[in-house]
């Protein structure tokens, strides 16, 4: 329902009048995006059936995917550091070690992925579309606050229907560095430091002890990298590589992608 | 075959007659003038003389849309009320979703798109008002926009709408000086002088609102307007004397 109105409405005519009604649960099949797939087609990593909202046993999260993860982001004097791991698990099975958990919304906005991969990537791509339309209409870039608010409002309409998404919207706008945590429960919080996922507690420990406002760019990158590494060391559901991004006034830059095992050896050497 | 009955029908030579007629309605409304200075924006309207028993505080033709934007209109007052209400709600909606005050251009675009929608709907007539929308954006730039019943909008340095708008606009074109706009008093004086051209019996029939950057809209009291009017008249006399001497 609300999805179609986001896709079609286009407040080019500022239509605040969403007096169109759609039947519950038909969702994606109805849109003109060509998704056409029936619920059964979805990629499953478990034997049990699909993830439709009409699931009898309640939202049992058959696709565990990215709740097992560590993603973090923090602000400092030179912008925002975003660091994520790259492991995807379905129960005890490691589905992938090379998942891209940072979504590049546009050249100056990043979104992280935690929860359901499909939910995160779909909604953030939709957010990218909305941001671009805003830019064209208002002849200036959208602010991080507004972008995160658009995302939060979009998913709030699906609250309670089984969306699983915990994302951090990071960017740089005319007010400086911006960092917001948005999730599928409808939370939207502004902050200086967030870590999301099963490994977040380990990451918080490292970042909290090393975070200062006056870090240099390299020091901040190393802090983010170390935090994710430590989380992958102790959390079974996080691992793979550490993907590091730095958001500054000109936009975001991909700083590094390093395998966790390599980092392990590196830090062991340093200890000696 | 008459092409002016339905709004949704074009005439053979490309006119939407209902929109043209709406513009005629605007020309019958009382004059409004707007001037954009560097640090102040001014809107002035011709106050129609009220009946003795009427409380003149209820006849307000200048309405604020938000802390930083306000507007005046010419034409059907009842139509204007609807537009003003919608614009006020939209200003707050914008603050809610974008966490920033709406720019003057945004709210003008919103008002224009409402007007345009009514020129393309079945069973509705266009709004019979033109409006002058002024204010300061979040970054401090002043703006003055004019909208008309067809739904188009343009930015202006100074403009007039309503009765005798043409005369007033010509006066503005002749007397608008970029350097004068630096001074707040000169900007205000220009607006008053323009209105005095068409308003009978001087200062009593003028209502003026100004907004300085980072301040809220201020509607001038009668005495303040009289001060400006006397200052203008003294300047005029001086200019006349100069002319006579040379």
């Amino acid at each position: 329902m609300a999805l179609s109105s986001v896709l079609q409405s286009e407040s080019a005519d500022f239509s605040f009048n969403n007096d169109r009604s759609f039947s519950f649960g038909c969702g994606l099949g109805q849109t003109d995006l060509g998704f056409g797939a029936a619920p059964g087609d979805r990629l499953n990593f478990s034997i049990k059936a699909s993830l439709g909202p009409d699931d009898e046993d309640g939202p049992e999260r058959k696709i565990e995917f990215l709740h097992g993860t560590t993603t973090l982001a923090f602000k400092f004097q030179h912008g925002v550091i975003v660091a994520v791991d790259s492991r995807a698990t379905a129960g005890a099975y490691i589905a992938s070690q090379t998942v891209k958990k940072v979504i590049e919304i546009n050249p100056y906005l990043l979104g992280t992925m935690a929860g359901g991969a499909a939910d995160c990537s779909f909604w953030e791509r939709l957010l990218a579309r909305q941001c671009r339309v805003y830019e064209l209409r208002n002849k200036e870039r959208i602010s991080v606050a507004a972008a995160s608010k658009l995302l939060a409002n979009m998913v709030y309409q699906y609250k309670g229907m089984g969306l699983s998404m915990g994302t951090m919207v990071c960017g740089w706008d005319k007010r400086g560095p911006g960092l917001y945590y948005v999730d599928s429960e409808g939370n939207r919080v502004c902050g200086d430091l967030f870590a999301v996922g099963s490994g977040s507690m380990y990451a918080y420990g490292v970042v909290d002890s090393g975070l200062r406002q006056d870090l240099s760019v390299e020091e901040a990158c190393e802090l983010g990298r170390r935090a994710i590494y430590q989380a992958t060391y102790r959390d079974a559901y996080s691992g793979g590589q550490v993907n590091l991004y730095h958001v500054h006034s000109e936009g975001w830059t991909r700083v590094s992608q390093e395998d966790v095992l390599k980092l392990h050896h590196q830090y062991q050497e340093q200890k000696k | 075959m008459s092409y002016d009955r339905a709004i949704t029908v074009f005439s053979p030579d490309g006119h939407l007659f209902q929109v043209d007629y709406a513009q005629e309605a605007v020309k019958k409304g009382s004059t409004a003038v707007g001037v954009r200075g560097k640090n102040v924006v001014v809107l002035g309207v011709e106050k129609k003389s009220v009946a003795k028993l009427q409380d003149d505080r209820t006849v307000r033709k200048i309405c604020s849309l938000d802390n930083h934007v306000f507007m005046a209109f010419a034409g059907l007052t009842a139509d204007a009320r609807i537009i003003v209400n919608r614009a006020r709600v939209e200003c707050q909606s914008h603050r809610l979703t974008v966490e920033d005050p709406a720019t003057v251009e945004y709210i003008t675009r919103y008002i224009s798109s409402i007007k345009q929608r009514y020129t393309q709907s079945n069973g509705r007539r266009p709004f019979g008002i033109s409006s002058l929308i002024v204010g300061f954006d979040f970054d401090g730039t002043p703006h003055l926009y004019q909208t008309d019943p067809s739904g188009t909008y343009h930015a202006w340095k100074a403009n007039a709408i309503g009765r005798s708008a043409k005369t007033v606009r010509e006066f503005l074109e002749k007397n608008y000086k970029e350097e004068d706009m630096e001074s707040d008093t000169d900007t205000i004086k220009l607006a008053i002088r323009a209105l005095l051209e068409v308003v009978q019996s001087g200062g009593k029939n003028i209502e003026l609102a100004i907004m300085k950057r980072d301040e809220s809209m201020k509607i001038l009291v009668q005495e303040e307007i009289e001060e400006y009017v006397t200052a203008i008249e003294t300047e005029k006399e001086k200019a006349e004397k100069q002319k006579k001497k040379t």
Side-chain angles (χ1 to χ4, degrees):
Chain A
M1 20 173 178
L3 174 58
S4 289
S5 68
V6 168
L7 291 171
Q8 289 166 15
S9 82
E10 287 356 306
S11 332
D13 52 349
F14 297 95
S15 48
F16 44 87
N17 234 353
N18 285 334
D19 43 24
R20 291 169 252 174
S21 56
F22 305 91
S23 45
F24 183 86
C26 295
L28 290 175
Q30 296 283 54
T31 71
D32 41 350
L33 276 187
F35 271 162
D41 295 2
R42 225 161 297 181
L43 194 60
N44 274 333
F45 276 80
S46 64
I47 310 160
K48 295 215 184 107
S50 62
L51 207 51
D54 39 22
D55 228 6
E56 297 291 354
D57 357 24
E60 262 192 55
R61 300 298 140 68
K62 307 295 192 284
I63 300 181
E64 262 304 329
F65 251 66
L66 298 172
H67 264 139
T69 187
T70 314
T71 60
L72 73 82
F74 61 86
K75 282 194 217 176
F76 70 119
Q77 63 171 337
H78 294 299
V80 189
I81 293 291
V82 183
V84 299
D85 76 315
S86 65
R87 177 176 290 184
T89 51
Y93 171 67
I94 295 180
S96 167
Q97 292 271 62
T98 52
V99 178
K100 281 203 70 195
K101 296 189 188 176
V102 174
I103 293 154
E104 297 154 8
I105 296 172
N106 62 40
Y108 55 95
L109 272 182
L110 289 176
T112 62
M113 226 204 270
D119 288 338
C120 290
S121 67
F122 178 80
W123 288 104
E124 290 185 19
R125 292 187 73 207
L126 211 50
L127 177 64
R129 175 185 177 276
Q130 288 292 91
C131 289
R132 179 59 181 150
V133 172
Y134 179 98
E135 217 176 282
L136 287 169
R137 285 205 186 122
N138 296 282
K139 296 179 198 140
E140 68 168 11
R141 286 183 185 171
I142 192 170
S143 66
V144 187
S148 59
K149 196 122 201 198
L150 285 178
L151 180 63
N153 288 339
M154 281 194 275
V155 296
Y156 184 73
Q157 293 175 307
Y158 288 81
K159 186 175 159 80
M161 294 188 209
L163 281 188
S164 164
M165 183 192 83
T167 181
M168 294 179 282
V169 180
C170 329
W172 187 296
D173 57 30
K174 60 186 176 204
R175 286 212 185 91
L179 176 56
Y180 285 81
Y181 167 72
V182 178
D183 72 16
S184 44
E185 295 305 298
N187 288 316
R188 174 183 165 265
V189 182
C190 177
D192 289 339
L193 160 66
F194 289 110
V196 181
S198 56
S200 60
M201 292 302 127
Y202 311 111
Y204 271 128
V206 177
V207 181
D208 283 335
S209 55
L211 186 56
R212 295 182 331 259
Q213 273 311 308
D214 60 349
L215 289 167
S216 72
V217 177
E218 289 83 50
E219 289 173 333
C221 289
E222 186 49 37
L223 183 62
R225 204 176 289 127
R226 190 65 191 253
I228 296 287
Y229 160 74
Q230 294 297 158
T232 61
Y233 189 65
R234 283 292 176 181
D235 178 30
Y237 298 103
S238 306
Q241 299 130 14
V242 179
N243 282 310
L244 198 69
Y245 287 75
H246 172 217
V247 186
H248 46 81
S249 52
E250 313 294 307
W252 54 259
T253 338
R254 182 125 186 258
V255 173
S256 67
Q257 175 188 59
E258 270 158 18
D259 191 282
V260 160
L261 188 57
K262 178 168 149 262
L263 285 175
H264 175 76
H265 290 311
Q266 194 184 308
Y267 293 133
Q268 292 296 96
E269 287 299 304
Q270 280 174 13
K271 266 199 219 169
K272 288 188 192 147
Chain B
M1 168 117 143
S2 134
Y3 291 97
D4 54 8
R5 214 52 76 61
I7 178 64
T8 48
V9 179
F10 274 111
S11 71
D13 63 344
H15 279 147
L16 281 172
F17 277 122
Q18 283 301 307
V19 176
D20 291 343
Y21 298 164
Q23 272 155 349
E24 289 299 313
V26 170
K27 288 194 199 147
K28 294 211 163 43
S30 50
T31 325
V33 89
V35 184
R36 177 190 92 197
K38 205 148 167 267
N39 303 309
V40 72
V41 287
V42 186
L43 277 183
V45 292
E46 171 196 358
K47 236 189 335 191
K48 282 214 180 83
S49 26
V50 287
K52 256 204 230 160
L53 293 175
Q54 191 175 79
D55 184 348
D56 83 335
R57 274 171 304 152
T58 57
V59 193
R60 268 279 130 83
K61 284 196 61 173
I62 303 179
C63 326
S64 72
L65 301 179
D66 201 348
N67 299 339
H68 60 298
V69 193
F70 59 111
M71 69 174 258
F73 58 89
L76 276 51
T77 320
D79 284 4
R81 222 174 33 229
I82 304 293
I83 296 272
V84 167
N85 271 334
R86 296 248 189 104
R88 283 175 174 162
V89 172
E90 182 61 24
C91 279
Q92 297 311 308
S93 283
H94 187 275
R95 275 181 191 264
L96 178 61
T97 45
V98 181
E99 293 193 347
D100 252 338
T103 56
V104 187
E105 198 261 339
Y106 178 89
I107 199 63
T108 310
R109 207 171 354 126
Y110 176 75
I111 291 176
S112 309
S113 61
I114 297 182
K115 289 188 177 176
Q116 190 279 339
R117 211 178 314 149
Y118 278 64
T119 68
Q120 232 179 349
S121 300
N122 223 340
R124 307 194 215 185
R125 60 163 178 82
F127 283 96
I129 63 160
S130 276
S131 53
L132 288 173
I133 301 158
V134 291
F136 286 90
D137 280 348
F138 191 62
D139 61 2
T141 11
H143 291 283
L144 162 64
Y145 285 95
Q146 183 224 358
T147 65
D148 63 18
S150 64
T152 56
Y153 68 94
H154 300 278
W156 292 77
K157 295 184 187 164
N159 198 5
I161 51 177
R163 192 174 20 230
S164 332
K166 212 149 167 264
T167 334
V168 180
R169 204 174 303 130
E170 282 168 4
F171 176 87
L172 286 169
E173 279 175 17
K174 247 195 276 165
N175 292 281
Y176 179 91
K177 282 194 215 85
E178 202 67 54
E179 321 85 61
D180 286 352
M181 295 301 114
E182 306 264 332
S183 137
D184 293 352
T185 352
D186 286 339
T187 317
I188 300 173
K189 274 203 206 137
L190 179 63
I192 298 184
R193 276 161 61 207
L195 266 181
L196 284 174
E197 293 283 307
V198 291
V199 149
Q200 316 115 315
S201 45
K204 263 195 293 115
N205 284 346
I206 293 181
E207 187 178 310
L208 209 76
I210 67 166
M211 180 189 280
K212 300 199 184 157
R213 185 176 292 116
D214 293 334
E215 285 177 25
S216 46
M217 170 178 91
K218 184 163 162 264
I219 298 193
L220 297 187
V221 234
Q222 208 43 51
E223 291 82 45
E224 289 172 308
I225 301 184
E226 288 299 331
E227 269 180 44
Y228 281 110
V229 172
T230 8
I232 290 171
E233 288 183 347
T234 2
E235 277 173 19
K236 239 198 201 166
E237 282 172 22
K238 256 202 241 159
E240 301 275 308
K241 279 204 199 126
Q242 283 287 51
K243 261 207 220 146
K244 285 210 183 116
K245 274 195 197 156
T246 52

